[in-house]
Amino acid sequence: MINNIAIIGGGPAGLYLAWLLQGSGLKITLFDHRIPFEKPCGGGITFKAMNEIKMLKGIETLSNAVQQFRFISPYESSCDVACDVPMQIISRKTLSEYQLNLLDYKQINLVHSKVTEIIRQNDDFKITVDNMNYDSNFKFDFVVGADGAQGISRRWLGAKPFGTNRYSGLGYYVDGLCIDEAIIKFYTNSKGYLWVFPRGDHSSVGFFSLSKQFSREMALSHVTGFLQKHFPDFKPNPQRYYSATIPLVWKWEKENIQGKNWALIGDAGGFVDTITGEGIYYAFKSAELLSKAIVANKPELYFENCHGIIAELQKSATIFPKFYKTWFTSAMVLLSKRSYFLQQVLVNLILGRQTYCTLKATLKKNIPTVIKEVMMSFFKKG
Protein backbone atom coordinates (compact mmCIF):
# COMPACT_ATOMS: atom_id res chain seq x y z
CA MET A 1 0.00 0.00 0.00
CA ILE A 2 1.48 3.35 -1.09
CA ASN A 3 1.20 6.14 1.48
CA ASN A 4 4.26 8.38 1.27
CA ILE A 5 5.57 9.44 -2.16
CA ALA A 6 8.70 11.37 -3.10
CA ILE A 7 8.81 13.17 -6.45
CA ILE A 8 12.34 14.14 -7.41
CA GLY A 9 12.33 16.96 -9.95
CA GLY A 10 10.05 19.96 -10.44
CA GLY A 11 9.77 20.10 -14.21
CA PRO A 12 6.44 19.78 -16.06
CA ALA A 13 6.14 16.05 -15.29
CA GLY A 14 6.94 16.26 -11.57
CA LEU A 15 4.71 19.27 -10.95
CA TYR A 16 1.83 17.75 -12.90
CA LEU A 17 2.08 14.48 -10.98
CA ALA A 18 2.04 16.38 -7.67
CA TRP A 19 -1.04 18.31 -8.84
CA LEU A 20 -2.84 15.14 -9.93
CA LEU A 21 -2.13 13.39 -6.62
CA GLN A 22 -3.05 16.24 -4.29
CA GLY A 23 -6.36 15.38 -2.71
CA SER A 24 -5.73 11.65 -3.08
CA GLY A 25 -4.99 11.21 0.61
CA LEU A 26 -1.36 10.34 -0.12
CA LYS A 27 1.52 12.22 1.46
CA ILE A 28 3.44 13.95 -1.34
CA THR A 29 6.90 15.53 -1.10
CA LEU A 30 8.42 17.27 -4.13
CA PHE A 31 12.19 17.87 -4.23
CA ASP A 32 13.82 20.45 -6.50
CA HIS A 33 16.56 22.97 -5.76
CA ARG A 34 16.13 25.02 -8.97
CA ILE A 35 12.45 25.66 -9.63
CA PRO A 36 11.32 27.69 -11.38
CA PHE A 37 14.02 27.32 -14.05
CA GLU A 38 14.57 27.79 -17.79
CA LYS A 39 15.42 25.10 -20.35
CA PRO A 40 16.71 25.24 -23.95
CA CYS A 41 13.55 24.59 -25.90
CA GLY A 42 11.20 26.55 -28.07
CA GLY A 43 8.49 26.11 -25.47
CA GLY A 44 5.77 24.99 -27.86
CA ILE A 45 2.68 23.37 -26.35
CA THR A 46 0.78 21.49 -29.03
CA PHE A 47 -2.94 21.59 -29.71
CA LYS A 48 -3.03 17.94 -28.63
CA ALA A 49 -1.49 18.78 -25.26
CA MET A 50 -3.85 21.72 -24.75
CA ASN A 51 -6.81 19.43 -25.42
CA GLU A 52 -5.72 16.50 -23.26
CA ILE A 53 -3.86 17.96 -20.27
CA LYS A 54 -6.21 19.33 -17.62
CA MET A 55 -3.59 21.44 -15.88
CA LEU A 56 -3.02 23.56 -19.00
CA LYS A 57 -6.50 25.07 -19.02
CA GLY A 58 -5.89 28.80 -18.65
CA ILE A 59 -2.26 28.81 -19.82
CA GLU A 60 -3.28 30.93 -22.84
CA THR A 61 -3.15 34.08 -20.72
CA LEU A 62 0.61 33.57 -20.20
CA SER A 63 1.64 32.11 -23.56
CA ASN A 64 2.08 33.44 -27.08
CA ALA A 65 -0.28 31.89 -29.65
CA VAL A 66 1.42 31.18 -32.99
CA GLN A 67 -0.25 29.84 -36.12
CA GLN A 68 2.42 30.55 -38.75
CA PHE A 69 5.46 28.31 -39.22
CA ARG A 70 8.36 28.65 -41.62
CA PHE A 71 10.56 25.68 -42.52
CA ILE A 72 13.94 26.43 -44.12
CA SER A 73 15.89 23.68 -45.87
CA PRO A 74 19.66 23.15 -45.66
CA TYR A 75 19.89 24.95 -49.03
CA GLU A 76 17.77 27.93 -47.92
CA SER A 77 14.53 27.15 -49.77
CA SER A 78 11.57 27.77 -47.48
CA CYS A 79 7.96 26.80 -46.97
CA ASP A 80 5.40 28.80 -45.00
CA VAL A 81 2.68 26.80 -43.27
CA ALA A 82 -0.47 28.20 -41.64
CA CYS A 83 -2.14 26.21 -38.85
CA ASP A 84 -5.90 26.35 -38.36
CA VAL A 85 -5.45 26.45 -34.57
CA PRO A 86 -2.52 27.92 -32.62
CA MET A 87 0.40 26.39 -30.85
CA GLN A 88 0.97 28.02 -27.47
CA ILE A 89 4.57 29.11 -26.88
CA ILE A 90 5.76 29.71 -23.34
CA SER A 91 9.11 29.78 -21.58
CA ARG A 92 9.80 26.80 -19.35
CA LYS A 93 10.28 29.13 -16.36
CA THR A 94 6.86 30.74 -16.88
CA LEU A 95 5.25 27.32 -17.27
CA SER A 96 6.91 26.19 -14.04
CA GLU A 97 5.64 29.26 -12.17
CA TYR A 98 2.13 28.63 -13.52
CA GLN A 99 2.21 25.02 -12.30
CA LEU A 100 3.60 25.96 -8.90
CA ASN A 101 0.74 28.41 -8.37
CA LEU A 102 -1.78 25.59 -8.83
CA LEU A 103 -0.35 23.38 -6.09
CA ASP A 104 -2.02 23.15 -2.70
CA TYR A 105 0.85 23.45 -0.25
CA LYS A 106 -1.30 22.12 2.57
CA GLN A 107 -1.15 18.81 0.72
CA ILE A 108 2.20 19.09 -1.09
CA ASN A 109 5.48 19.45 0.80
CA LEU A 110 7.87 21.37 -1.48
CA VAL A 111 11.52 20.93 -0.53
CA HIS A 112 13.84 23.48 -2.20
CA SER A 113 16.90 21.30 -1.90
CA LYS A 114 19.10 19.06 -4.00
CA VAL A 115 18.75 15.32 -3.51
CA THR A 116 22.18 13.75 -3.03
CA GLU A 117 21.30 10.13 -2.23
CA ILE A 118 18.43 7.68 -2.64
CA ILE A 119 19.06 4.58 -0.56
CA ARG A 120 16.75 1.57 -0.53
CA GLN A 121 16.01 0.17 2.93
CA ASN A 122 13.98 -3.03 2.44
CA ASP A 123 10.71 -1.77 0.90
CA ASP A 124 11.34 1.89 1.74
CA PHE A 125 13.72 4.59 0.53
CA LYS A 126 15.83 7.06 2.47
CA ILE A 127 16.47 10.34 0.65
CA THR A 128 19.27 12.69 1.66
CA VAL A 129 19.41 16.37 0.69
CA ASP A 130 22.18 18.95 0.81
CA ASN A 131 20.28 21.79 2.49
CA MET A 132 20.81 21.96 6.24
CA ASN A 133 17.59 23.96 6.63
CA TYR A 134 15.76 20.67 6.21
CA ASP A 135 15.97 17.42 8.07
CA SER A 136 18.55 15.83 5.79
CA ASN A 137 16.95 12.37 5.87
CA PHE A 138 13.50 11.60 4.50
CA LYS A 139 11.81 8.18 4.26
CA PHE A 140 9.30 7.14 1.59
CA ASP A 141 7.61 3.98 0.36
CA PHE A 142 7.52 5.08 -3.30
CA VAL A 143 9.90 7.28 -5.32
CA VAL A 144 9.23 8.97 -8.65
CA GLY A 145 12.17 10.23 -10.71
CA ALA A 146 11.24 13.34 -12.69
CA ASP A 147 14.65 15.02 -12.74
CA GLY A 148 15.53 14.74 -16.43
CA ALA A 149 17.86 12.66 -18.54
CA GLN A 150 20.92 13.58 -16.47
CA GLY A 151 19.28 13.48 -13.04
CA ILE A 152 20.36 11.20 -10.22
CA SER A 153 17.14 9.17 -10.06
CA ARG A 154 17.99 6.73 -12.85
CA ARG A 155 21.33 5.89 -11.28
CA TRP A 156 20.25 5.60 -7.64
CA LEU A 157 17.04 3.70 -8.38
CA GLY A 158 18.86 1.20 -10.58
CA ALA A 159 16.97 1.82 -13.84
CA LYS A 160 18.24 -0.15 -16.81
CA PRO A 161 20.26 2.24 -19.03
CA PHE A 162 18.83 3.29 -22.38
CA GLY A 163 22.19 3.70 -24.08
CA THR A 164 24.57 6.53 -24.83
CA ASN A 165 22.63 8.44 -27.51
CA ARG A 166 21.69 11.97 -26.45
CA TYR A 167 20.69 15.31 -27.86
CA SER A 168 22.35 18.48 -26.62
CA GLY A 169 20.70 21.87 -26.91
CA LEU A 170 21.67 25.49 -26.37
CA GLY A 171 19.08 28.27 -26.32
CA TYR A 172 19.35 32.06 -26.17
CA TYR A 173 17.02 34.91 -25.37
CA VAL A 174 16.89 37.49 -28.15
CA ASP A 175 15.30 40.53 -26.55
CA GLY A 176 13.00 42.63 -28.72
CA LEU A 177 12.73 40.07 -31.52
CA CYS A 178 8.94 39.99 -31.84
CA ILE A 179 7.71 38.12 -34.90
CA ASP A 180 4.43 36.43 -35.77
CA GLU A 181 5.83 33.09 -36.91
CA ALA A 182 7.93 30.24 -35.56
CA ILE A 183 10.92 29.21 -37.66
CA ILE A 184 12.66 25.84 -38.06
CA LYS A 185 15.97 25.76 -39.97
CA PHE A 186 17.69 22.52 -41.06
CA TYR A 187 21.41 22.15 -41.81
CA THR A 188 23.50 19.84 -43.97
CA ASN A 189 24.79 16.71 -42.25
CA SER A 190 23.27 17.68 -38.92
CA LYS A 191 20.79 15.56 -36.99
CA GLY A 192 19.00 18.50 -35.44
CA TYR A 193 17.74 21.98 -36.24
CA LEU A 194 17.74 25.65 -35.29
CA TRP A 195 14.57 27.14 -33.88
CA VAL A 196 13.15 30.65 -33.49
CA PHE A 197 10.07 30.66 -31.25
CA PRO A 198 8.51 34.06 -30.40
CA ARG A 199 7.50 34.55 -26.77
CA GLY A 200 6.02 38.03 -26.73
CA ASP A 201 8.74 40.51 -25.72
CA HIS A 202 11.58 38.21 -26.82
CA SER A 203 12.23 35.13 -28.91
CA SER A 204 13.88 31.89 -27.92
CA VAL A 205 16.53 31.10 -30.52
CA GLY A 206 18.56 27.93 -30.21
CA PHE A 207 20.06 24.87 -31.79
CA PHE A 208 20.12 21.21 -30.86
CA SER A 209 21.65 18.11 -32.39
CA LEU A 210 23.09 14.74 -31.46
CA SER A 211 25.50 15.20 -28.56
CA LYS A 212 28.40 13.64 -30.48
CA GLN A 213 27.97 16.35 -33.15
CA PHE A 214 27.30 19.19 -30.73
CA SER A 215 29.47 21.94 -29.31
CA ARG A 216 28.59 25.25 -27.73
CA GLU A 217 30.72 27.04 -30.32
CA MET A 218 28.86 25.38 -33.20
CA ALA A 219 25.45 26.17 -31.70
CA LEU A 220 26.36 29.82 -31.13
CA SER A 221 27.78 30.03 -34.66
CA HIS A 222 24.52 28.74 -36.15
CA VAL A 223 22.41 31.09 -34.02
CA THR A 224 24.57 34.14 -34.73
CA GLY A 225 24.84 33.37 -38.44
CA PHE A 226 21.09 32.90 -38.79
CA LEU A 227 20.30 36.15 -37.00
CA GLN A 228 22.85 38.10 -39.05
CA LYS A 229 21.23 36.86 -42.25
CA HIS A 230 17.54 37.10 -41.35
CA PHE A 231 17.36 39.57 -38.44
CA PRO A 232 20.55 41.68 -38.62
CA ASP A 233 19.39 44.15 -35.98
CA PHE A 234 19.28 41.47 -33.29
CA LYS A 235 21.93 39.48 -31.47
CA PRO A 236 21.71 36.72 -28.85
CA ASN A 237 22.21 37.89 -25.30
CA PRO A 238 25.41 36.06 -24.24
CA GLN A 239 24.42 36.38 -20.59
CA ARG A 240 21.00 34.78 -21.09
CA TYR A 241 21.48 31.28 -22.41
CA TYR A 242 20.55 27.85 -21.14
CA SER A 243 21.67 24.35 -22.03
CA ALA A 244 20.47 20.82 -21.43
CA THR A 245 20.82 17.22 -22.48
CA ILE A 246 17.79 15.46 -23.96
CA PRO A 247 17.39 11.65 -24.07
CA LEU A 248 17.34 9.86 -27.42
CA VAL A 249 15.66 6.48 -26.95
CA TRP A 250 15.04 3.73 -29.50
CA LYS A 251 13.31 1.11 -27.36
CA TRP A 252 11.69 0.86 -23.92
CA GLU A 253 11.61 -2.08 -21.54
CA LYS A 254 9.83 -2.09 -18.21
CA GLU A 255 13.15 -2.03 -16.35
CA ASN A 256 14.02 1.27 -18.09
CA ILE A 257 11.24 3.18 -16.35
CA GLN A 258 9.92 1.10 -13.46
CA GLY A 259 10.99 -1.16 -10.62
CA LYS A 260 9.92 -2.17 -7.14
CA ASN A 261 8.33 0.91 -5.55
CA TRP A 262 9.77 3.39 -8.05
CA ALA A 263 9.01 4.83 -11.49
CA LEU A 264 10.42 7.42 -13.91
CA ILE A 265 8.43 10.03 -15.85
CA GLY A 266 9.19 12.75 -18.42
CA ASP A 267 12.76 13.07 -19.69
CA ALA A 268 13.96 10.80 -16.87
CA GLY A 269 11.89 8.03 -18.45
CA GLY A 270 13.12 8.86 -21.95
CA PHE A 271 9.71 10.16 -23.04
CA VAL A 272 10.87 12.53 -25.77
CA ASP A 273 10.06 12.65 -29.48
CA THR A 274 13.20 11.36 -31.20
CA ILE A 275 12.67 13.53 -34.29
CA THR A 276 11.66 16.87 -32.82
CA GLY A 277 13.10 16.64 -29.31
CA GLU A 278 9.67 17.72 -28.03
CA GLY A 279 8.95 16.38 -24.58
CA ILE A 280 6.33 18.58 -22.90
CA TYR A 281 3.32 16.54 -24.03
CA TYR A 282 5.01 13.26 -23.11
CA ALA A 283 6.11 14.66 -19.75
CA PHE A 284 2.52 15.47 -18.87
CA LYS A 285 1.16 12.25 -20.32
CA SER A 286 3.61 9.96 -18.52
CA ALA A 287 2.80 11.73 -15.24
CA GLU A 288 -0.91 11.25 -15.88
CA LEU A 289 -0.50 7.55 -16.65
CA LEU A 290 1.55 6.99 -13.50
CA SER A 291 -0.96 8.89 -11.36
CA LYS A 292 -3.76 6.59 -12.56
CA ALA A 293 -1.74 3.53 -11.58
CA ILE A 294 -0.88 4.98 -8.17
CA VAL A 295 -4.43 6.10 -7.34
CA ALA A 296 -5.67 2.62 -8.28
CA ASN A 297 -2.97 1.25 -5.93
CA LYS A 298 -1.56 -0.71 -8.87
CA PRO A 299 1.72 1.07 -9.68
CA GLU A 300 2.92 -2.10 -11.41
CA LEU A 301 0.53 -1.22 -14.28
CA TYR A 302 2.43 1.96 -15.15
CA PHE A 303 4.50 0.43 -17.96
CA GLU A 304 1.40 -1.20 -19.43
CA ASN A 305 -0.42 2.14 -19.26
CA CYS A 306 2.42 3.71 -21.28
CA HIS A 307 2.16 1.32 -24.24
CA GLY A 308 0.33 3.89 -26.39
CA ILE A 309 2.90 6.68 -26.04
CA ILE A 310 5.80 4.21 -26.20
CA ALA A 311 4.50 2.84 -29.53
CA GLU A 312 4.35 6.38 -30.95
CA LEU A 313 7.83 7.29 -29.72
CA GLN A 314 9.34 4.03 -30.98
CA LYS A 315 7.81 4.74 -34.39
CA SER A 316 9.47 8.17 -34.42
CA ALA A 317 12.75 6.43 -33.62
CA THR A 318 12.42 4.22 -36.72
CA ILE A 319 11.88 7.32 -38.89
CA PHE A 320 14.71 9.30 -37.28
CA PRO A 321 17.71 7.82 -39.20
CA LYS A 322 16.31 9.00 -42.55
CA PHE A 323 14.60 12.18 -41.41
CA TYR A 324 17.69 14.31 -40.82
CA LYS A 325 19.48 13.30 -43.99
CA THR A 326 20.08 16.43 -46.05
CA TRP A 327 18.19 15.10 -49.07
CA PHE A 328 15.12 14.32 -46.96
CA THR A 329 14.76 17.67 -45.18
CA SER A 330 15.45 19.47 -48.48
CA ALA A 331 12.81 17.43 -50.33
CA MET A 332 10.32 17.82 -47.48
CA VAL A 333 10.54 21.62 -47.59
CA LEU A 334 10.55 21.84 -51.40
CA LEU A 335 7.61 19.47 -51.94
CA SER A 336 5.58 20.98 -49.10
CA LYS A 337 5.97 24.37 -50.74
CA ARG A 338 4.24 22.95 -53.82
CA SER A 339 1.68 20.64 -52.20
CA TYR A 340 -1.20 21.83 -50.02
CA PHE A 341 -1.74 18.27 -48.81
CA LEU A 342 1.84 17.98 -47.53
CA GLN A 343 1.46 21.35 -45.83
CA GLN A 344 -1.55 19.95 -43.98
CA VAL A 345 0.47 16.89 -42.95
CA LEU A 346 3.09 19.25 -41.49
CA VAL A 347 0.34 21.23 -39.75
CA ASN A 348 -1.09 18.09 -38.19
CA LEU A 349 2.36 16.89 -37.11
CA ILE A 350 3.02 20.29 -35.50
CA LEU A 351 -0.31 20.26 -33.68
CA GLY A 352 -0.04 16.61 -32.62
CA ARG A 353 -3.04 15.48 -34.68
CA GLN A 354 -0.99 13.31 -37.06
CA THR A 355 0.65 10.33 -35.40
CA TYR A 356 3.89 8.75 -36.56
CA CYS A 357 2.20 5.34 -36.40
CA THR A 358 -0.27 6.31 -39.16
CA LEU A 359 2.00 8.70 -41.09
CA LYS A 360 3.18 6.19 -43.70
CA ALA A 361 -0.38 5.08 -44.48
CA THR A 362 -1.54 8.70 -44.75
CA LEU A 363 1.23 9.58 -47.20
CA LYS A 364 0.89 6.38 -49.24
CA LYS A 365 -2.85 6.83 -49.64
CA ASN A 366 -2.42 10.37 -50.95
CA ILE A 367 0.55 9.98 -53.31
CA PRO A 368 -1.64 10.75 -56.38
CA THR A 369 -2.83 13.97 -54.73
CA VAL A 370 0.73 15.08 -53.97
CA ILE A 371 1.91 14.33 -57.53
CA LYS A 372 -1.01 16.27 -58.99
CA GLU A 373 -0.43 19.28 -56.72
CA VAL A 374 3.31 19.38 -57.41
CA MET A 375 2.77 19.19 -61.18
CA MET A 376 0.06 21.85 -61.10
CA SER A 377 2.36 24.16 -59.14
CA PHE A 378 4.83 24.17 -62.04
CA PHE A 379 2.08 25.02 -64.53
CA LYS A 380 0.81 27.83 -62.31
CA LYS A 381 4.31 29.20 -62.00
CA GLY A 382 4.70 29.09 -65.76
Side-chain angles (χ1 to χ4, degrees):
M1 183 76 178
I2 299 174
N3 294 297
N4 194 0
I5 298 177
I7 302 172
I8 301 172
L15 290 171
Y16 189 42
L17 180 63
W19 184 75
L20 289 168
L21 292 178
Q22 65 185 18
S24 65
L26 300 171
K27 185 177 179 181
I28 309 298
T29 302
L30 176 68
F31 295 88
D32 198 298
H33 65 292
R34 300 178 299 163
I35 54 173
F37 57 88
E38 190 54 278
K39 184 179 178 181
C41 60
I45 301 178
T46 64
F47 175 77
K48 182 178 182 179
M50 292 296 296
N51 266 2
E52 293 186 19
I53 307 304
K54 295 179 289 185
M55 195 182 202
L56 294 176
K57 307 306 179 185
I59 197 73
E60 298 95 330
T61 60
L62 300 173
S63 59
N64 186 32
V66 173
Q67 290 183 242
Q68 297 289 329
F69 286 79
R70 173 172 293 187
F71 294 88
I72 305 175
S73 80
Y75 300 115
E76 298 299 323
S77 62
S78 64
C79 173
D80 294 317
V81 176
C83 298
D84 56 311
V85 293
M87 173 184 282
Q88 302 296 328
I89 297 178
I90 187 170
S91 78
R92 184 59 60 87
K93 183 177 180 181
T94 302
L95 176 60
S96 180
E97 291 169 341
Y98 170 81
Q99 291 183 270
L100 285 166
N101 286 335
L102 293 178
L103 296 184
D104 181 352
Y105 293 102
K106 293 180 180 178
Q107 302 181 63
I108 306 294
N109 179 27
L110 179 58
V111 178
H112 283 280
S113 188
K114 184 176 182 179
V115 173
T116 56
E117 285 185 328
I118 308 170
I119 304 295
R120 180 183 287 276
Q121 297 179 330
N122 297 318
D123 289 337
D124 295 326
F125 295 90
K126 182 182 79 170
I127 291 179
T128 304
V129 298
D130 66 350
N131 190 334
M132 297 306 294
N133 291 325
Y134 296 98
D135 179 358
S136 62
N137 294 315
F138 298 81
K139 287 190 176 181
F140 302 91
D141 50 36
F142 197 89
V143 174
V144 179
D147 52 345
Q150 298 291 88
I152 72 165
S153 295
R154 294 196 61 85
R155 182 174 72 255
W156 282 99
L157 293 173
K160 184 177 180 180
F162 281 121
T164 59
N165 290 316
R166 297 284 189 275
Y167 277 125
S168 292
L170 192 69
Y172 288 88
Y173 290 86
V174 181
D175 297 314
L177 180 56
C178 305
I179 55 178
D180 59 3
E181 64 179 356
I183 302 172
I184 300 294
K185 168 74 171 78
F186 301 106
Y187 290 86
T188 58
N189 303 315
S190 177
K191 288 181 167 50
Y193 60 83
L194 176 144
W195 74 81
V196 182
F197 273 32
R199 295 175 173 177
D201 64 345
H202 75 279
S203 288
S204 167
V205 184
F207 177 81
F208 89 114
S209 71
L210 286 179
S211 295
K212 61 184 178 182
Q213 296 179 327
F214 184 88
S215 71
R216 180 182 171 186
E217 292 73 22
M218 178 185 68
L220 180 57
S221 174
H222 282 319
V223 169
T224 302
F226 182 87
L227 289 174
Q228 286 176 346
K229 181 172 183 177
H230 296 276
F231 305 101
D233 294 333
F234 297 92
K235 296 180 180 179
N237 185 336
Q239 304 303 318
R240 299 183 70 192
Y241 72 91
Y242 36 96
S243 60
T245 300
I246 305 166
L248 182 60
V249 181
W250 309 104
K251 183 180 179 181
W252 281 259
E253 297 177 37
K254 187 172 184 177
E255 294 77 11
N256 295 131
I257 64 168
Q258 184 177 13
K260 185 179 180 181
N261 297 337
W262 63 265
L264 302 173
I265 57 178
D267 283 13
F271 294 109
V272 176
D273 186 323
T274 308
I275 293 175
T276 66
E278 193 276 322
I280 292 181
Y281 170 76
Y282 296 103
F284 283 119
K285 201 65 181 178
S286 60
E288 181 181 290
L289 295 171
L290 178 59
S291 74
K292 290 179 179 179
I294 289 174
V295 170
N297 200 33
K298 294 183 178 180
E300 67 276 7
L301 295 181
Y302 171 52
F303 182 74
E304 182 179 331
N305 290 351
C306 289
H307 279 181
I309 59 173
I310 287 175
E312 180 69 0
L313 292 174
Q314 288 188 160
K315 188 62 177 180
S316 77
T318 65
I319 299 171
F320 172 81
K322 290 184 179 179
F323 184 87
Y324 281 110
K325 289 185 180 297
T326 301
W327 70 265
F328 185 88
T329 53
S330 298
M332 179 183 71
V333 173
L334 183 62
L335 292 175
S336 296
K337 187 175 183 178
R338 297 182 177 278
S339 169
Y340 177 76
F341 171 77
L342 288 180
Q343 289 179 24
Q344 294 310 298
V345 172
L346 280 178
V347 164
N348 289 327
L349 284 169
I350 291 168
L351 298 176
R353 296 187 302 209
Q354 172 64 60
T355 68
Y356 292 119
C357 289
T358 60
L359 179 59
K360 183 177 180 179
T362 299
L363 293 173
K364 186 176 181 179
K365 179 181 178 181
N366 290 278
I367 287 175
T369 299
V370 174
I371 293 174
K372 180 180 178 181
E373 289 178 343
V374 171
M375 291 181 66
M376 289 299 294
S377 73
F378 284 104
F379 285 114
K380 288 179 181 179
K381 186 176 181 180

